């Protein structure tokens, strides 16, 4: 006998009838096949009582294998089973997603293993995002072979987002499509496709899983931020305050102060809220580094305090580890120890695009330009649709300290194009122009920097190599001399 499609009930075996959901024909213990129905014993019927809106047909006493006496058997009426309301699970107070089985579009049933393996890899990759609740495979795969209604899936699994897709294989090529949907509204938030060859089936699965995880994380973060923005300001939790601040924390500098204010409100409500502590530290770091804050020493002390408190409650949260390491490294903590902290974050979540970006930053500060470039490029590959300015800035700065000024200029210009109010990029661009003799452009860059407004020369002690500090300072002095 088969359970109807979408049946959310998990029928248990009793002493008279073996029942297994999942689409297989089942038999009574006398091996009599019973298609298209669910049979239960009288004991099970009494247990259900009126608690479920089900109808039953009394089939009288039946003889079953291994039981000497006949037992009373009831058949669940299929029409009432199909029509029964499904209880919705409550949504968690954190983002949640279910990855549904991908459709096998290859026309070859034997390729189901590949599609299923692909989904398992994606579930594993997404599970490394600590702030995201991912439904286990056992639950999401109960929808395999069904016509999917994402709103119903969201209600039944208690998730806010659903990821679905398909796998198509042809010869030695594979194409994987995926789309992220908000379950409550059915709104499509993101969709993409991935093509590759099958020289190594596991390699392509790893690459696609990494790519999907990398692009979904910022998409989910943006969706959560938009969702929180619609909540009334009279009912803001620490999480809501954090989300609103997060939307500003990576924005142009004029919103950083407001982001810090909201993060501090979240921390007041929950003093051990690790993500808020880490991002509050980042905001203070930005205000200090940009050179636009009044009391820069105050922001230095607050940044260090927030970062250390964040590490105390971080556990194995990669985002907290990476943000705190970046802040503490900037303010003079041992650079090797902070790099190790970021490496730990990346070991916990190898698909953490921002973690690779931070790693590139720290490698640049440590005087390792080639590694810095490689790590920033990894960040771009993992999250190609997120803000690319920070990664291009790191690549440009790394080329600068390596003396590759002509390679540095176009990357820094790309960073400025995305964030024209970020002062640090102007500093490195002006120094680049000065060192290659493009003094008119160096003068114009200093003029634009002063219009932001921001101080021209800030403390470059975050650069651990004295020669790199002097390279930046001498370039700025030369550019400023030309503007005098």
């Amino acid at each position: 006998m088969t359970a109807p499609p979408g049946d959310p009930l998990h029928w248990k075996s009793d002493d008279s009838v073996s029942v297994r959901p999942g689409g297989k024909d089942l038999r009574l213990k006398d091996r009599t096949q019973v298609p298209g129905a669910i049979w239960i014993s009288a004991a099970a019927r009494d247990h259900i009582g009126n608690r479920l809106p089900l109808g039953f047909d009394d089939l009288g006493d039946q003889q079953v294998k291994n039981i000497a006496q006949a037992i009373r058997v009831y058949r669940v009426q299929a029409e009432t089973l199909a029509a029964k309301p499904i209880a919705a699970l409550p949504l968690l107070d954190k983002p949640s997603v279910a990855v549904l089985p991908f459709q096998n579009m290859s026309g070859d049933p034997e390729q189901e293993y590949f599609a299923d393996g692909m989904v398992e890899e994606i579930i594993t990759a997404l599970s490394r995002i600590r702030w995201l609740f991912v439904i286990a495979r056992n639950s999401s795969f109960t929808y395999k072979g069904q016509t999917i209604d994402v709103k119903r899936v969201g209600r039944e699994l208690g998730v806010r987002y659903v990821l679905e897709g398909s796998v198509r294989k042809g010869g030695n090529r594979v194409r994987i499509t995926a789309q992220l949907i908000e379950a409550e509204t059915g709104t499509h938030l993101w969709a993409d496709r991935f093509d590759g060859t099958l020289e190594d089936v596991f390699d392509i699965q790893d690459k696609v899983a990494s790519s999907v995880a990398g692009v979904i994380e910022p998409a989910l973060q943006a969706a959560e931020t938009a969702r929180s923005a619609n909540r009334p300001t009279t009912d803001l939790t620490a999480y809501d305050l954090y989300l609103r601040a997060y939307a500003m924390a990576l924005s142009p500098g004029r919103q950083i102060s407001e982001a810090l204010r909201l993060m501090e409100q979240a921390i007041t409500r929950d003093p051990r809220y690790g993500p808020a502590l880490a991002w509050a530290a980042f905001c203070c770091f930005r205000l200090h580094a940009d050179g636009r804050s009044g009391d820069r020493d105050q922001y230095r002390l607050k940044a260090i305090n927030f970062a250390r408190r964040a590490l105390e409650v971080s556990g194995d949260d990669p985002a907290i580890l990476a943000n705190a390491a970046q802040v503490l490294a900037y303010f003079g903590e041992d650079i090797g120890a902070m790099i190790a902290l970021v490496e730990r974050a990346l070991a916990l979540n190898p698909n953490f695009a921002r973690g690779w970006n931070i790693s590139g930053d720290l490698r640049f500060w440590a005087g390792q330009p080639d590694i810095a470039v490689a790590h920033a490029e990894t960040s771009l590959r993992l999250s190609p649709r997120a803000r690319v300015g920070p990664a291009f800035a790191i690549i440009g700065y790394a080329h600068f300290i390596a003396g590759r000024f002509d390679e540095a200029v176009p990357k820094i210009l790309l960073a400025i194009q995305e964030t024209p109010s970020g002062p640090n990029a102007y500093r490195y661009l002006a120094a680049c122009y000065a060192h290659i003799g493009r003094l008119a452009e160096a003068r114009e860059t200093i003029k634009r920097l002063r219009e932001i407004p921001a101080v021209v020369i800030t403390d470059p002690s975050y650069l651990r190599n004295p020669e790199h500090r002097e390279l930046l300072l001498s370039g700025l002095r030369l550019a400023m001399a030309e503007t005098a």
Side-chain angles (χ1 to χ4, degrees), residues 431-450:
C432 270
Y433 282 145
H435 282 304
I436 58 180
R438 296 165 63 174
L439 298 179
E441 289 158 297
R443 288 194 297 269
E444 180 62 27
T445 303
I446 292 294
K447 179 182 176 182
R448 292 177 65 186
L449 176 60
R450 285 173 169 158

Side-chain angles (χ1 to χ4, degrees), residues 83-105:
K84 66 183 181 300
I86 298 172
L89 290 176
L91 289 174
L92 301 173
D93 59 355
K94 64 187 295 188
S96 50
V97 64
V99 184
L100 298 181
F102 280 21
Q103 288 183 296
N104 172 22
M105 307 293 288

Side-chain angles (χ1 to χ4, degrees), residues 125-458:
L126 291 177
S127 297
R128 296 189 179 113
I129 303 173
R130 293 301 296 263
W131 54 266
L132 179 63
F133 180 84
V134 183
I135 292 293
R137 177 194 186 283
N138 290 351
S139 294
S140 60
F141 266 63
T142 60
Y143 296 92
K144 188 174 178 65
Q146 299 183 29
T147 301
I148 299 300
D149 176 356
V150 293
K151 294 182 180 180
R152 178 172 69 87
V153 171
R155 291 193 302 269
E156 292 178 8
L157 296 182
V159 294
R160 194 166 286 140
Y161 306 102
V162 171
L163 179 70
E164 61 180 15
S166 64
V167 177
R168 184 187 300 274
K169 289 178 65 179
N172 200 39
R173 302 286 300 176
V174 61
R175 169 169 291 177
I176 296 164
T177 62
Q179 54 187 356
L180 182 67
I181 304 169
E182 186 177 37
E184 185 177 8
T185 63
T187 302
H188 284 64
L189 303 174
W190 165 87
D192 209 342
R193 75 182 190 193
F194 307 87
D195 296 305
T197 59
L198 291 174
E199 281 83 5
D200 187 337
V201 63
F202 299 113
D203 183 56
I204 187 65
Q205 286 182 342
D206 288 343
K207 286 181 179 178
V208 172
S210 297
S211 298
V212 170
V215 295
I216 280 181
E217 182 168 8
L220 283 170
Q221 189 74 67
E224 281 292 286
T225 300
R227 184 189 64 82
S228 176
N230 294 324
R231 290 196 62 175
T233 56
T234 55
D235 185 30
L236 294 181
T237 64
Y239 179 58
D240 289 311
L241 290 163
Y242 159 76
L243 284 176
R244 294 183 180 209
Y246 177 87
M248 305 175 189
L250 292 172
S251 63
R254 293 182 179 86
Q255 297 185 50
I256 300 298
S257 295
E258 176 63 11
L260 176 60
R261 185 184 70 81
L262 291 172
M263 289 293 183
E264 289 180 320
Q265 287 185 20
I267 293 166
T268 298
R269 296 195 178 198
D270 184 354
R272 294 179 61 81
Y273 192 7
L277 288 165
W279 279 103
F282 176 82
C283 290
C284 292
F285 148 62
R286 278 282 308 276
L287 289 166
H288 183 281
D290 286 353
R292 289 186 287 201
S293 60
D295 188 350
R296 296 179 71 231
D297 192 56
Q298 172 197 1
Y299 286 115
R300 178 182 66 84
L301 294 174
K302 288 178 69 174
I304 293 171
N305 175 261
F306 282 137
R308 288 177 175 165
R309 287 171 60 190
L311 287 179
E312 288 177 0
V313 298
S314 65
D316 286 333
D317 188 312
I320 296 176
L321 294 174
N323 275 341
Q326 183 182 32
V327 170
L328 293 174
Y330 178 82
F331 289 112
E333 198 75 35
D334 181 78
I335 191 71
M338 296 302 100
I339 287 174
L341 209 55
V342 176
E343 287 177 340
R344 179 182 163 201
L346 292 173
L348 290 165
N349 184 3
N351 308 309
F352 181 26
R354 177 167 161 74
W356 285 105
N357 192 82
I358 291 174
S359 181
D361 223 4
L362 268 62
R363 298 291 184 162
F364 151 57
W365 297 345
Q368 302 168 6
D370 293 335
I371 299 177
V373 169
H375 287 192
E377 288 176 343
T378 299
S379 171
L380 287 173
R381 285 196 301 273
L382 284 171
S383 190
R385 299 189 179 185
R387 294 177 65 246
V388 297
F392 281 126
I394 292 168
I395 294 171
Y397 303 161
H399 285 314
F400 174 83
I401 65 172
R404 300 187 290 259
F405 304 123
D406 289 327
E407 294 181 63
V409 168
K411 300 299 184 182
I412 298 173
L413 285 172
L414 285 170
I416 290 174
Q417 184 178 9
E418 182 176 275
T419 311
S421 61
N424 212 36
Y426 290 100
R427 297 184 185 112
Y428 279 89
L429 182 62
C432 270
Y433 282 145
H435 282 304
I436 58 180
R438 296 165 63 174
L439 298 179
E441 289 158 297
R443 288 194 297 269
E444 180 62 27
T445 303
I446 292 294
K447 179 182 176 182
R448 292 177 65 186
L449 176 60
R450 285 173 169 158
E451 289 172 352
I452 287 179
V455 296
V456 176
I457 297 180
T458 58

